[in-house]
């Protein structure tokens, strides 16, 4: 559905027609641009918009189906950009992603949003309070959305870092480090980082193109050249995010390796304890087995102190073995 449709001229919102089909003509006549926001439009709804603004059918197909990687594509009449906002859910310690598709033309911006994690009302409201920036045309909308998306990446990275510190404390805790659920928590955390990386990693080349450092030359059609410093700032923030993601992924791999090593050491300790107790149980069993053979010619069977002597021998050997295993750390 269409969330909002407005015409902007000289950095200010103006009253426009309710029908978006007339908005583009008015915007061009007034020297401004029209900004349309849609949330999960149907094929029929978006078909009307794409026909009115002359959007490329391949880009329209991507915008309707979603599930796209962050990218930047240049068509004859418009620029098509895909961003993946990230949402962190503290209750479940989960990372989920939405999608924002932006069509940028000479006098229009069409924004298609999928998912509930990236409301753009705040972006539009904040941009409307900065008429100088909004006066740069459709490029300012692309910058504002990219800046808000990447800034939220930084917040999510901080939240993940806090979760990682809690997970690290749990792994190295003497009480909870051996929990059978720890390995699954570490693996689940690694999956969240992978989901985060899918949103942040592929966005670096498109931002490099917008800063003029891409592989397609210094300029990008439909983007104001004076906006390069702004996109450069967004690109710097994204670089920090990607470095944080790499560090998180490396640390969680190290934590998983440490947890597995701890489990292996604990298993070795358990096996040593079991072996020590088995050895201690074998000594009296062996002695008792000798006296259970019932031979006639066993002279000690008729000694008065033979029974107490054997019991004392067993006890002495048990104490000796216990002290030996205790000294070696097996018990």
């Amino acid at each position: 559905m269409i969330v909002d449709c407005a015409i902007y001229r000289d950095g200010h919102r103006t009253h426009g027609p309710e029908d978006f089909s007339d908005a583009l003509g008015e915007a061009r006549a007034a020297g401004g641009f029209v900004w349309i926001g849609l949330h999960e439009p149907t094929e029929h709804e978006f078909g009307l918009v794409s026909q009115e603004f002359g959007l490329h059918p391949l880009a329209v197909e991507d915008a309707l189906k979603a599930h796209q990687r962050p990218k930047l594509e240049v068509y004859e009449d418009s620029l098509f950009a895909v961003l993946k906002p990230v949402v962190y859910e503290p209750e479940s310690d989960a990372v989920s992603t939405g999608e924002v598709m932006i069509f940028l033309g000479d006098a229009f911006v069409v924004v298609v949003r999928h998912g509930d994690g990236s409301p753009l009302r705040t972006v539009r409201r904040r941009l409307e309070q900065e008429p100088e920036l909004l006066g740069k045309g459709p490029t300012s909308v692309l910058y504002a959305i990219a800046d808000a998306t990447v800034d939220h990446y930084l917040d999510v990275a901080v939240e993940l870092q806090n979760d990682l510190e809690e997970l690290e404390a749990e792994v190295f805790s003497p009480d909870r480090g051996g929990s059978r659920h720890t390995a699954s928590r570490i693996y689940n955390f690694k999956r969240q980082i992978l989901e985060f990386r899918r949103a942040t990693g592929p966005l670096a080349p498109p931002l490099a193109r917008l800063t003029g450092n891409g592989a397609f030359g210094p300029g990008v059609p439909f983007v104001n050249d004076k906006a390069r410093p702004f996109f450069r700032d967004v690109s710097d923030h994204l670089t920090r995010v990607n470095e944080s993601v790499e560090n998180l992924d490396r640390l969680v791999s190290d934590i998983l390796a440490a947890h597995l090593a701890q489990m292996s050491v604990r298993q070795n300790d358990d096996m040593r304890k079991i072996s020590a107790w088995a050895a201690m149980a074998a000594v009296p069993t062996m002695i008792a087995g000798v006296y259970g053979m019932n031979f006639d010619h066993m002279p000690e069977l008729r000694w008065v102190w033979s029974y107490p002597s054997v019991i004392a021998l067993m006890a002495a050997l048990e104490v000796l073995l216990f002290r030996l295993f205790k000294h070696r750390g097996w018990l």
Side-chain angles (χ1 to χ4, degrees), residues 242-315:
N242 285 328
E243 290 175 352
S244 298
V245 173
E246 290 293 334
N247 292 334
L248 287 171
D249 187 53
R250 188 162 48 249
L251 284 173
V252 77
S253 297
D254 293 342
I255 289 175
L256 179 59
H259 173 67
L260 295 177
Q262 282 185 329
M263 296 298 294
S264 178
V265 169
R266 288 193 179 96
Q267 289 177 352
N268 290 337
D269 289 341
D270 293 340
M271 290 301 299
R272 285 190 299 181
K273 290 179 181 179
I274 293 172
S275 301
W277 286 112
M280 293 175 63
V283 171
T285 302
M286 180 188 65
I287 297 175
V290 172
Y291 285 93
M293 290 187 290
N294 296 323
F295 292 136
D296 290 335
H297 301 287
M298 296 181 70
E300 65 275 9
L301 292 178
R302 300 185 181 278
W303 293 353
V304 176
W305 297 100
S306 59
Y307 179 76
S309 299
V310 171
I311 296 299
L313 177 63
M314 289 182 182

Side-chain angles (χ1 to χ4, degrees), residues 73 131 258:
E73 295 179 348

Side-chain angles (χ1 to χ4, degrees), residues 115-191:
D116 298 326
S118 56
L120 299 178
R121 276 199 188 93
T122 56
V123 176
R124 186 187 288 260
R125 196 177 304 119
R126 180 170 61 88
L127 198 56
E128 288 176 352
Q129 294 174 358
E130 301 181 26
E132 183 178 354
L133 178 60
L134 191 57
K136 297 184 182 298
T139 304
S140 62
V141 179
L142 177 60
Y143 159 72
I145 296 175
D147 184 55
T149 301
V150 174
D151 283 348
H152 192 60
Y153 287 166
L154 292 170
D155 298 335
V156 173
V158 172
E159 294 289 345
L160 289 175
Q161 181 65 42
N162 294 334
D163 284 349
L164 183 60
E165 291 175 357
E166 294 178 2
L167 186 60
E168 186 177 16
E170 177 181 336
V171 168
F172 291 102
S173 171
D175 299 328
R176 303 174 61 188
S179 172
R180 60 182 178 179
H181 302 295
T182 303
S184 62
R185 281 200 60 195
I186 296 174
Y187 181 73
N188 181 65
F189 191 83
K190 195 170 182 65
R191 287 179 62 92

Side-chain angles (χ1 to χ4, degrees), residues 183-230:
S184 62
R185 281 200 60 195
I186 296 174
Y187 181 73
N188 181 65
F189 191 83
K190 195 170 182 65
R191 287 179 62 92
Q192 306 309 317
I193 295 177
L194 178 60
E195 185 72 17
F196 193 21
R197 175 182 283 177
R198 286 173 181 168
T200 64
L203 185 57
L207 281 179
R209 292 181 63 183
L210 292 171
T211 61
N213 298 323
F216 293 86
V220 177
F222 308 106
V223 175
N224 193 329
D225 290 338
K226 296 181 180 179
R228 291 182 190 174
F230 296 93

